[in-house]
Amino acid sequence: MDEWFSHFLMQLGAEMYDEIQMLRDDYRAAMTTLHRQAGRLLHNKSKEVSVLDVACGTAMATRSVFDKRAATKQRFRFVGLDADHKLLEFAQSKWPSLTEKCADMVQAEIDERFDLILCSFAYHHVPDAQKLQLCRNLRKWCKPGGDLLVLEICLAESQVHAYYEAVKAKLQRGQASDLCKRFLNWTMMPGDTSANTEWKVPQARLLKDFSEAGWELQESQRVWATPSLPPEAGCYYLHFRLSS
């Protein structure tokens, strides 16, 4: 891992990571869309709903969906899956009802099935050769008739620089804005993507993987992009259900 980013995670902490991400137009738009669209689904769910947050990190996706629904929290049971036990500890401190599961999302064994799975900006952190296995795991962990909500940045390699330069140009100002720019520069480092654990692919590849794993696309919405990119490139909200 890049020395700067390792220092960032270890010294500055997960809370600062949340702060810099929320300076980004694409990230805020994605979380707002996730909250709104998940609310529509949850309205039609049964009284008891189990929720799995995959590669949950600081539980930002869970908090974005449920934080303003405090009156109904007793209806839900939350499990957070992440390979980093320190991030899980932070997530649990922010969302005390979260049950921690420390494991890699490609290799994890989870016996339970869930009504709702959140997969927020996780797919692009899986090497291309393992992306289909992640999609199959998500299928294995979902109840029949359950829902999978995905947030993802879909880009060809040639589009990464233009996308993140546009994100940087529209950053909200704040004490952490310079740090956020450094983080985004790290994100779009050229060359060996294993240096920054970013394996972004075009939307067509993502849809192929999920379809092959048995998921049916219910809705796709581009929530943020720059005009220089084609319609299929950008930050997306995607809703999947298991195919029959």
Side-chain angles (χ1 to χ4, degrees), residues 96-200:
S97 58
L98 186 78
T99 298
E100 304 169 23
K101 173 71 174 178
C102 190
D104 180 271
M105 58 184 158
V106 175
Q107 302 174 359
E109 295 292 336
I110 302 177
D111 295 331
E112 183 179 358
R113 290 192 173 191
F114 296 84
D115 300 290
L116 176 65
I117 299 178
L118 306 176
C119 188
S120 172
F121 303 115
Y123 172 85
H124 75 254
H125 285 298
V126 176
D128 291 352
Q130 299 177 353
K131 282 178 163 59
L132 179 57
Q133 183 58 50
L134 171 63
C135 298
R136 288 171 174 160
N137 286 352
L138 295 171
R139 175 185 171 89
K140 183 170 59 176
W141 300 332
C142 190
K143 289 182 181 179
D147 295 284
L148 167 65
L149 304 184
V150 175
L151 296 177
E152 193 51 72
I153 298 172
C154 299
L155 299 170
E157 185 176 353
S158 61
Q159 298 165 339
V160 169
H161 188 269
Y163 180 91
Y164 281 105
E165 286 297 335
V167 171
K168 286 164 57 180
K170 294 179 179 293
L171 283 180
Q172 284 193 345
R173 291 187 177 182
Q175 289 185 339
S177 57
D178 287 342
L179 186 60
C180 186
K181 287 181 181 179
R182 292 180 64 195
F183 170 74
L184 293 171
N185 287 336
W186 173 85
T187 298
M188 58 183 182
M189 282 193 309
D192 181 9
T193 54
S194 63
N196 60 12
T197 65
E198 296 269 336
W199 290 275
K200 292 187 176 67

Side-chain angles (χ1 to χ4, degrees), residues 21-32:
Q21 291 291 56
M22 291 306 287
L23 294 176
R24 298 168 48 172
D25 276 5
D26 60 340
Y27 202 86
R28 292 196 315 278
M31 290 300 167
T32 298

